[in-house]
Amino acid sequence: MSAAAAMLPAHGEVSAGGVPRPLAQALAAELVLASSMLADLAYDLGSDGATLRRHMASLQRIDHITQIQLAIADLLRTSHGAVDDIAQVTLQDMADRLRTFLNESGAG
């Protein structure tokens, strides 16, 4: 058995970055939960007209954050560590940042 194979989890299931698949799935679930909590918070804050008018841009940023979290959760659930996995990211600004990071780190 190679040294690399010895480092794999017992089931041999590893997601991107060497994170064991069960942990990646659990992290994805936590991101979905956090996104739901943020969405509920934004809804509560936005239900007050005065707050909505004063903080519309901030509430929109909360929505954008939840979309980023959900995209990361999707990557954790489905990614195999390939640069091509970024193609599934529908948020263009996030996909661009990921590509830039991967290119600068030499992984792309």
Side-chain angles (χ1 to χ4, degrees), residues 2 4 11 14 27-28 33 52 64 67-68 74 77 80 92 99:
S2 73
H11 294 59
V14 177
L27 291 169
L33 175 64
L52 180 62
H64 192 73
Q67 290 178 48
I68 290 171
D74 284 342
R77 282 193 289 259
H80 299 289
Q92 190 60 50
R99 281 188 196 93

Side-chain angles (χ1 to χ4, degrees), residues 9-66:
H11 294 59
E13 295 183 14
V14 177
S15 65
V19 176
R21 178 65 55 195
L23 178 57
Q25 299 298 315
L27 291 169
E30 288 297 312
L31 284 168
V32 171
L33 175 64
S35 295
S36 177
M37 293 167 67
L38 274 174
D40 289 346
L41 174 63
Y43 180 80
D44 287 346
L45 293 172
S47 66
D48 176 67
T51 301
L52 180 62
R53 285 186 295 280
R54 276 195 313 267
H55 302 287
M56 177 62 82
S58 296
L59 292 168
Q60 288 174 333
R61 281 195 306 272
I62 290 173
D63 178 60
H64 192 73
I65 291 166
T66 63

